[in-house]
Amino acid sequence: MTLLQEQLAGVADVTAAERAQRLTDAGAAWNERIAADDANAQLTYRVSGRGIGSVATEIRAGKHRFLVDEPGALAGDDVAASPVEYALGALVSCQVVVYRLYAQALGLTIDEIEITAEGDLDVRKLFGIDESGRAGFHDVRVSVDITGPDGAEQYENLRAVVDAHCPVLDLFAAPVPTSSVLA
């Protein structure tokens, strides 16, 4: 069995009603925690990584471990997705969560959801060829395909709500104060 198959086996196969209840319960629990103390709204995530192979990284995020690598053309061994692919994957997965959360809150039904993110990156800055451009994506496009019984206008409203509340989309859309130090 591949790692992905093992991971998928651990994902609960839930009905729409079970999903709705989990989303409702989570929203209610967070509302209660935050109402009790505003400090409960503040979360800190910690992820660490160790360089392995040519340019690969073993990432540790809580109890989870995963690899990040680069294709051969970028000096990697191509054993895992690249950092920018994981960034797009983080965007897509966050969008799925927030779509489900706000569809539930707004009383909308999502039968199926598939999201695709594409990002354009110019490697000249990465390789020190031209310092004038961005090192990261200069354009990212997100395409959302939703099926369900609600109208197109309702899903368009949902898209606007999701875009306003998605934490990872916010990371892509707005500068985040970031510091870097040698430990």
Side-chain angles (χ1 to χ4, degrees), residues 29-44:
W30 277 103
N31 282 327
E32 287 177 24
R33 282 186 206 117
I34 295 166
D37 183 354
D38 278 347
N40 290 334
Q42 305 304 312
L43 302 176
T44 300

Side-chain angles (χ1 to χ4, degrees), residues 46-51 57-66:
R46 180 181 170 96
V47 176
S48 60
R50 176 179 69 89
T57 307
E58 175 194 9
I59 300 293
R60 295 176 302 283
K63 68 178 186 176
H64 306 286
R65 306 280 185 268
F66 58 94

Side-chain angles (χ1 to χ4, degrees), residues 3 8 20 26 30 32 34 43 55 73 79 94 101-102 147 149 157 166 170:
L3 179 59
L8 288 174
W30 277 103
E32 287 177 24
I34 295 166
L43 302 176
V55 296
V79 297
C94 193
L101 180 69
Y102 277 94
T147 59
N157 179 59
C166 179
D170 182 68

Side-chain angles (χ1 to χ4, degrees), residues 60-126:
R60 295 176 302 283
K63 68 178 186 176
H64 306 286
R65 306 280 185 268
F66 58 94
L67 289 177
V68 179
D69 199 6
E70 292 284 358
L74 294 174
D77 297 307
D78 203 14
V79 297
S82 73
V84 295
E85 289 168 322
Y86 273 106
L88 291 174
L91 175 58
V92 166
S93 59
C94 193
Q95 288 265 294
V96 167
V97 170
V98 181
Y99 265 95
R100 292 226 188 258
L101 180 69
Y102 277 94
Q104 178 65 26
L106 296 171
L108 301 175
T109 300
I110 295 176
D111 292 332
E112 297 287 333
I113 184 167
E114 185 166 332
I115 301 177
T116 301
E118 288 183 322
D120 299 326
L121 192 141
D122 185 330
V123 297
R124 286 180 284 196
K125 184 148 188 181
L126 171 66

Side-chain angles (χ1 to χ4, degrees), residues 130-154:
D130 182 350
E131 294 296 320
S132 66
R134 291 185 59 128
F137 292 121
H138 59 82
D139 189 44
V140 174
R141 295 164 304 284
V142 178
S143 175
V144 182
D145 184 16
I146 294 176
T147 59
D150 300 299
E153 186 175 313
Q154 291 171 296

